[in-house]
Amino acid sequence: MKFPKSHSLQEIANLLNCKFIGDKDFQVLGMNEIHVVEPGDIVFVDHPKYYDKALQSAATIVLINKEVECPEGKALLISDDPFRDFNILTKHFKPFQFANVAIAPSAEIGEGTVIQPNSFVGNNVKIGKNCLIHSNVSIYDHTVIGDNVIIHAGTILGADAFYYKKRPEGFDQLISGGRVVIEDNVGIGALCTIDKGVTGDTTIGAGTKLDNQVHVGHDTVIGKKCLIASQTGIAGCVIIEDEVTLWGQVGTTSGITIGAKAVVMGQTGVTKSVEGGKSYFGTPIEESREKLKQLANIKKIPEILSKLK
C-alpha cells in the first residue's frame, strides 16, 4: 500500500509516538507485508525468529520491537508493539469509509455494465465495460474489476484477511488495507468469497473461471486462464500460476506456489509448493500416478496378510 504522498521518518514516528533510528528526513512511501515490500516501504516484525528476514528484505523502514543494528541505507521504528502500530498506520492511511447508498458516488462503472438489484458497490470501486454483476453481490471499497467480467449472486469481493495475533485477552486482528483486483474476462460463481490483501492486492488473472463457493485468501495471486471448481479453499499469500486446474474441494496451505498448467485432483490437500505441468492427488499431496499406485497397494494388504498366515 502506497501513501498518497511521501512522508518523513520523523512524521511516521510522531504518528506512532515511537523512537526511530535513521535520518529524520528519511523518505517513507508506503507499507507492506514482507512478501511484497519494496524500497520506501515499512515492514513490521515482532519476533526474533524473523528479525533478519525483515532487516534484509527490500523494505527500507523496519518497524521492530527491539533496538538492533540498523542496516546501511535503512531506518528503524522502535515500537513496544509493532503489530498494533502497523494497524495504527493502516487506519490512518486507509480509514474505513461509511457508505449509505447501494452504489457509492465515487464508484466508476464502465459502459454496458449491468448491476442487478440489491448489490453493493463501495467507495472508489472501478468496474470495466460490459460486466454483469448479479443480485446480492458485495464489492468492497477500492476493488478493481476489468472488462467482460461476470459475477454471480451472493459473491463477496474484499472482505478482511483472516490474520490474527493471539493476545492474553483474545485474538487481535491485523487490519486489511489492500484491494481485490479482478482482470478481464473473469467468471466468478455464486457465493464466492475473495478477501482483500492486508496491504497489497488479491488478484484473479484474466480469463480465469471460479465455480460456486470458492474461497480465495488475502494477497493470493491467481494467474490467467485457471479453472477452480466448487468448494475449493485457497489460503492467503498463495501463487497459482497460469492455466492451473483445481478440482472440487481442494484446500491449500498458505505461502505456496502451484506451477503453471498443474492439475490438482478433487479433495487434495496442497501442503507444499508443486511444479507445473503435472497432475497431483491426495493429502499430503503427491503426483497422482504415485498416489494411485500407493492406494492400489494398500488394497492388497489383506491378501498379503492372508498369505503370510
Side-chain angles (χ1 to χ4, degrees):
M1 179 172 71
K2 299 302 181 186
F3 300 151
K5 65 175 186 176
S6 174
H7 291 267
S8 70
L9 185 65
Q10 176 76 73
E11 289 174 323
I12 300 299
N14 290 345
L15 178 63
L16 300 177
N17 192 28
C18 72
K19 180 180 176 181
F20 66 88
I21 296 174
D23 183 348
K24 65 181 179 65
D25 295 320
F26 194 93
Q27 191 176 50
V28 185
L29 303 178
M31 54 188 286
N32 263 313
E33 291 181 275
I34 196 162
H35 64 288
V36 289
V37 286
E38 298 174 345
D41 284 345
I42 301 170
V43 68
F44 86 91
V45 61
D46 58 5
H47 194 290
K49 180 179 178 181
Y50 303 110
Y51 283 174
D52 285 345
K53 185 176 181 181
L55 291 165
Q56 301 306 319
S57 72
T60 44
I61 306 94
V62 180
L63 177 61
I64 190 169
N65 59 343
K66 183 180 179 180
E67 191 167 329
V68 297
E69 184 177 350
C70 182
E72 186 177 351
K74 299 195 177 188
L76 304 180
L77 294 161
I78 312 300
S79 166
D80 63 334
D81 192 337
F83 189 99
R84 176 203 64 209
D85 285 348
F86 204 72
N87 275 344
I88 289 172
L89 291 173
T90 301
K91 286 190 282 188
H92 179 82
F93 289 106
K94 212 65 168 299
F96 173 75
Q97 294 178 264
F98 173 77
N100 59 3
V101 291
I103 299 177
S106 58
E108 298 178 18
I109 300 170
E111 183 181 355
T113 287
V114 174
I115 299 175
Q116 296 281 70
N118 299 319
S119 286
F120 170 72
V121 179
N123 299 293
N124 303 306
V125 168
K126 295 181 180 179
I127 303 176
K129 298 177 182 178
N130 301 316
C131 296
L132 175 55
I133 314 297
H134 285 278
S135 61
N136 300 306
V137 170
S138 291
I139 303 173
Y140 285 35
D141 293 1
H142 307 290
T143 296
V144 177
I145 298 172
D147 299 335
N148 306 308
V149 171
I150 298 174
I151 303 175
H152 285 278
T155 283
I156 298 169
L157 306 183
D160 285 343
F162 188 75
Y163 194 140
Y164 293 87
K165 183 178 180 65
K166 191 173 184 180
R167 309 278 196 184
E169 64 275 14
F171 293 100
D172 193 4
Q173 185 177 24
L174 189 63
I175 295 170
S176 299
R179 307 183 301 174
V180 170
V181 176
I182 309 295
E183 296 182 354
D184 296 346
N185 302 307
V186 168
I188 301 176
L191 300 174
C192 293
T193 50
I194 302 175
D195 292 347
K196 61 188 169 187
V198 171
T199 52
D201 294 338
T202 302
T203 303
I204 311 296
T208 285
K209 310 298 181 184
L210 275 59
D211 195 0
N212 302 329
Q213 297 178 319
V214 170
H215 174 73
V216 180
H218 70 90
D219 294 285
T220 282
V221 177
I222 297 176
K224 302 180 189 304
K225 295 189 286 184
C226 295
L227 281 177
I228 301 176
S230 180
Q231 298 180 10
T232 289
I234 302 167
C237 302
V238 171
I239 296 173
I240 297 175
E241 296 181 349
D242 295 346
E243 298 183 51
V244 167
T245 299
L246 305 181
W247 292 121
Q249 297 186 335
V250 166
T252 83
T253 191
S254 62
I256 60 161
T257 298
I258 300 176
K261 298 186 179 180
V263 177
V264 182
M265 308 303 286
Q267 297 192 328
T268 292
V270 187
T271 53
K272 61 183 180 181
S273 295
V274 293
E275 295 178 8
K278 298 179 180 179
S279 177
Y280 298 93
F281 176 61
T283 305
I285 190 170
E286 294 185 69
E287 284 192 56
S288 54
R289 283 186 181 181
E290 180 61 30
K291 181 64 76 173
L292 291 170
K293 284 179 186 177
Q294 292 173 10
L295 293 174
N297 288 334
I298 288 170
K299 289 183 178 180
K300 294 177 182 179
I301 290 175
E303 179 185 344
I304 294 169
L305 290 175
S306 177
K307 287 180 179 179
L308 288 173
K309 289 177 181 179

